Amino acid sequence: GDRSASAHTCETYAYSLMLLLRFTAERLTVKPSQIELAQIDARLVLEFLTYVEVRRGNTARTRNARLAAIKSFFRYLEYREPKCLDQSRQIHGIPKKKTDEALVAYLNREEIQALLDAPDTSTAFGLRDHAMLHLAYACGLRVAELVSLRLDQLDSRTPPSIRVMGKGRRERVLPLWKETATAVNAWLKVRQATGSSELFLNAGGRAMTRAGFEYILDKHVGTAQKRQSSIGKKRVTPHVLR
């Protein structure tokens, strides 16, 4: 174990291992006290991680936290149970899942405001970018959710809201802040009528892509940096990397 780990981390790891033991006992139809270390192999760990996401409805971040706890446990065992080295090596080979975090969640208020104000709202694409940044920030949208938003997911009734289909086809309804609704409506007024049902379109009139949004974000971060130089010291990406 890591003696420098925080109490919160220790509690998280302990809870993760308790869940793993409970899952293993049910999977093998034995009591937790009857579980043998050799039975907790990479295949069973992968089944447990699937259970965490699908059955328990946890996010990729939580899934990764459970995996980190299991790897830490086997790292501890490597020095005490040499016979489990191969088993441990296979478990350490299980990759983390990429997480798609909410945009700019770690910027302070001044930095966020500078970024939101960066697009030139005298142009149609500036209005589009302004609306995208507002929605991403105010609603904590993942990039995939943002670029796949359709016109029929908007509800202009009071209070205005959007319906978002997240991972596992779980739907959530998010009310919009007044400033966010204003930014979205300003874009809708200039959005060209095309056959696309997506809310945000690129210069070709087609649905915005992840790569397209990443390019747009980089451009506006550069503009915002002139107003708030501290932004330049932070790596502002669509998903906040650990």
Side-chain angles (χ1 to χ4, degrees):
D2 187 353
R3 293 181 182 178
S4 64
S6 68
H8 174 72
T9 298
C10 291
E11 289 173 7
T12 300
Y13 278 17
Y15 183 66
S16 298
L17 294 175
M18 183 271 288
L19 287 177
L20 173 64
L21 289 175
R22 185 189 294 169
F23 172 83
T24 303
E26 292 177 0
R27 176 78 174 72
L28 303 176
T29 59
V30 297
K31 293 179 181 177
S33 60
Q34 297 173 312
I35 296 171
E36 294 180 7
L37 187 60
Q39 293 174 306
I40 305 177
D41 56 12
R43 177 182 291 184
L44 188 137
V45 171
L46 283 168
E47 289 178 3
F48 169 71
L49 296 174
T50 300
Y51 158 79
V52 164
E53 285 195 282
V54 177
R55 294 286 298 281
R56 291 181 64 84
N58 292 150
T59 63
R61 174 187 273 189
T62 299
R63 180 255 193 211
N64 288 342
R66 303 287 176 248
L67 177 59
I70 295 166
K71 287 183 176 181
S72 178
F73 175 62
F74 274 89
R75 198 172 293 117
Y76 168 84
L77 289 175
E78 285 172 5
Y79 296 95
R80 291 157 181 83
E81 295 285 342
K83 63 183 179 183
C84 78
L85 275 173
D86 188 59
Q87 175 184 352
S88 179
R89 195 176 296 115
Q90 290 182 27
I91 288 171
H92 282 302
I94 298 173
K96 287 202 308 182
K97 248 195 178 180
K98 286 187 177 179
T99 57
D100 206 353
E101 301 292 352
L103 173 68
V104 296
Y106 66 113
L107 297 182
N108 65 37
R109 184 175 296 180
E110 292 75 20
E111 291 165 342
I112 288 168
Q113 197 58 56
L115 181 56
L116 294 177
D117 292 342
D120 178 4
T121 52
S122 67
T123 69
F125 290 134
L127 288 171
R128 176 202 63 192
D129 298 354
H130 190 234
M132 291 187 82
L133 292 174
H134 263 280
L135 268 178
Y137 166 63
C139 297
L141 296 183
R142 295 180 174 88
V143 183
E145 294 171 340
L146 179 68
V147 297
S148 64
L149 272 179
R150 300 185 314 275
L151 292 168
D152 62 9
Q153 289 176 261
L154 291 172
D155 188 339
S156 58
R157 291 176 295 184
T158 305
S161 63
I162 58 169
R163 285 184 298 105
V164 178
M165 189 68 73
K167 292 183 178 180
R169 298 197 61 78
R170 285 178 295 170
E171 187 180 75
R172 61 191 194 277
V173 177
L174 304 172
L176 300 182
W177 294 348
K178 185 178 178 181
E179 297 90 338
T180 307
T182 300
V184 171
N185 287 332
W187 159 242
L188 287 174
K189 288 177 182 176
V190 299
R191 179 188 179 278
Q192 62 187 110
T194 69
S196 297
S197 60
E198 282 78 15
L199 174 59
F200 296 112
L201 307 174
N202 60 23
R206 293 182 296 276
M208 176 69 62
T209 62
R210 175 190 289 268
F213 179 70
E214 289 175 350
Y215 171 79
I216 287 167
L217 177 60
D218 282 344
K219 181 177 72 171
H220 295 310
V221 166
T223 302
Q225 190 176 336
K226 296 171 185 175
R227 177 173 157 186
Q228 281 289 329
S229 60
S230 58
I231 292 179
K233 300 172 186 175
K234 299 179 179 180
R235 190 176 177 214
V236 185
T237 63
H239 47 276
V240 179
L241 300 179
R242 289 187 175 185

